[in-house]
mmCIF file of all heavy atoms in Angstrom:
data_model
loop_
_atom_site.group_PDB
_atom_site.id
_atom_site.type_symbol
_atom_site.label_atom_id
_atom_site.label_comp_id
_atom_site.label_asym_id
_atom_site.label_seq_id
_atom_site.Cartn_x
_atom_site.Cartn_y
_atom_site.Cartn_z
ATOM 1 N N PHE A 108 -27.912 -45.265 4.561
ATOM 2 C CA PHE A 108 -26.564 -44.765 4.262
ATOM 3 C C PHE A 108 -26.135 -43.724 5.291
ATOM 4 O O PHE A 108 -25.019 -43.788 5.837
ATOM 5 C CB PHE A 108 -26.538 -44.161 2.856
ATOM 6 C CG PHE A 108 -25.209 -43.584 2.465
ATOM 7 C CD1 PHE A 108 -24.260 -44.369 1.822
ATOM 8 C CD2 PHE A 108 -24.890 -42.259 2.735
ATOM 9 C CE1 PHE A 108 -23.019 -43.841 1.463
ATOM 10 C CE2 PHE A 108 -23.658 -41.725 2.386
ATOM 11 C CZ PHE A 108 -22.721 -42.526 1.754
ATOM 12 N N MET A 109 -26.996 -42.771 5.561
ATOM 13 C CA MET A 109 -26.652 -41.700 6.499
ATOM 14 C C MET A 109 -26.458 -42.244 7.911
ATOM 15 O O MET A 109 -25.523 -41.849 8.621
ATOM 16 C CB MET A 109 -27.752 -40.634 6.476
ATOM 17 C CG MET A 109 -27.934 -39.952 5.132
ATOM 18 S SD MET A 109 -26.515 -38.954 4.632
ATOM 19 C CE MET A 109 -26.750 -37.524 5.700
ATOM 20 N N ARG A 110 -27.315 -43.155 8.315
ATOM 21 C CA ARG A 110 -27.218 -43.729 9.664
ATOM 22 C C ARG A 110 -25.925 -44.527 9.819
ATOM 23 O O ARG A 110 -25.215 -44.389 10.827
ATOM 24 C CB ARG A 110 -28.431 -44.618 9.933
ATOM 25 C CG ARG A 110 -28.478 -45.198 11.340
ATOM 26 C CD ARG A 110 -29.814 -45.839 11.643
ATOM 27 N NE ARG A 110 -30.162 -46.893 10.697
ATOM 28 C CZ ARG A 110 -31.080 -46.758 9.739
ATOM 29 N NH1 ARG A 110 -31.736 -45.620 9.601
ATOM 30 N NH2 ARG A 110 -31.352 -47.753 8.918
ATOM 31 N N ASN A 111 -25.598 -45.333 8.839
ATOM 32 C CA ASN A 111 -24.391 -46.152 8.926
ATOM 33 C C ASN A 111 -23.126 -45.303 8.863
ATOM 34 O O ASN A 111 -22.134 -45.597 9.529
ATOM 35 C CB ASN A 111 -24.384 -47.188 7.792
ATOM 36 C CG ASN A 111 -25.453 -48.248 7.982
ATOM 37 O OD1 ASN A 111 -25.780 -48.608 9.106
ATOM 38 N ND2 ASN A 111 -26.013 -48.725 6.886
ATOM 39 N N ALA A 112 -23.158 -44.230 8.073
ATOM 40 C CA ALA A 112 -22.004 -43.332 8.004
ATOM 41 C C ALA A 112 -21.764 -42.668 9.357
ATOM 42 O O ALA A 112 -20.610 -42.543 9.807
ATOM 43 C CB ALA A 112 -22.225 -42.279 6.921
ATOM 44 N N LYS A 113 -22.842 -42.253 10.003
ATOM 45 C CA LYS A 113 -22.695 -41.617 11.317
ATOM 46 C C LYS A 113 -22.195 -42.602 12.359
ATOM 47 O O LYS A 113 -21.398 -42.252 13.244
ATOM 48 C CB LYS A 113 -24.026 -41.009 11.753
ATOM 49 C CG LYS A 113 -24.389 -39.750 10.983
ATOM 50 C CD LYS A 113 -25.588 -39.051 11.589
ATOM 51 C CE LYS A 113 -25.803 -37.697 10.937
ATOM 52 N NZ LYS A 113 -26.904 -36.939 11.568
ATOM 53 N N GLN A 114 -22.673 -43.858 12.284
ATOM 54 C CA GLN A 114 -22.217 -44.881 13.234
ATOM 55 C C GLN A 114 -20.727 -45.141 13.097
ATOM 56 O O GLN A 114 -20.054 -45.473 14.076
ATOM 57 C CB GLN A 114 -23.007 -46.175 13.019
ATOM 58 C CG GLN A 114 -24.450 -46.103 13.485
ATOM 59 C CD GLN A 114 -25.248 -47.344 13.131
ATOM 60 O OE1 GLN A 114 -24.755 -48.243 12.442
ATOM 61 N NE2 GLN A 114 -26.487 -47.405 13.584
ATOM 62 N N LYS A 115 -20.219 -44.964 11.886
ATOM 63 C CA LYS A 115 -18.779 -45.156 11.647
ATOM 64 C C LYS A 115 -18.001 -43.851 11.829
ATOM 65 O O LYS A 115 -16.818 -43.783 11.500
ATOM 66 C CB LYS A 115 -18.566 -45.715 10.234
ATOM 67 C CG LYS A 115 -19.145 -47.101 10.050
ATOM 68 C CD LYS A 115 -18.986 -47.546 8.620
ATOM 69 C CE LYS A 115 -19.462 -48.971 8.440
ATOM 70 N NZ LYS A 115 -20.880 -49.166 8.759
ATOM 71 N N GLN A 116 -18.717 -42.815 12.323
ATOM 72 C CA GLN A 116 -18.115 -41.513 12.602
ATOM 73 C C GLN A 116 -17.498 -40.892 11.338
ATOM 74 O O GLN A 116 -16.425 -40.287 11.375
ATOM 75 C CB GLN A 116 -17.070 -41.621 13.729
ATOM 76 C CG GLN A 116 -17.663 -42.084 15.047
ATOM 77 C CD GLN A 116 -16.640 -42.120 16.173
ATOM 78 O OE1 GLN A 116 -15.451 -42.242 15.929
ATOM 79 N NE2 GLN A 116 -17.109 -42.011 17.410
ATOM 80 N N LEU A 117 -18.211 -41.072 10.230
ATOM 81 C CA LEU A 117 -17.813 -40.463 8.969
ATOM 82 C C LEU A 117 -18.647 -39.202 8.734
ATOM 83 O O LEU A 117 -19.703 -39.020 9.356
ATOM 84 C CB LEU A 117 -18.018 -41.444 7.819
ATOM 85 C CG LEU A 117 -17.230 -42.757 7.901
ATOM 86 C CD1 LEU A 117 -17.661 -43.696 6.784
ATOM 87 C CD2 LEU A 117 -15.737 -42.494 7.837
ATOM 88 N N LEU A 118 -18.188 -38.337 7.867
ATOM 89 C CA LEU A 118 -18.927 -37.116 7.536
ATOM 90 C C LEU A 118 -20.023 -37.487 6.536
ATOM 91 O O LEU A 118 -19.787 -37.579 5.328
ATOM 92 C CB LEU A 118 -17.973 -36.075 6.953
ATOM 93 C CG LEU A 118 -16.864 -35.592 7.906
ATOM 94 C CD1 LEU A 118 -15.913 -34.646 7.173
ATOM 95 C CD2 LEU A 118 -17.470 -34.908 9.125
#
Side-chain angles (χ1 to χ4, degrees):
F108 178 91
M109 298 294 284
R110 184 169 57 254
N111 291 327
K113 287 189 171 184
Q114 288 174 355
K115 295 176 176 61
Q116 298 183 335
L117 300 173
L118 297 175

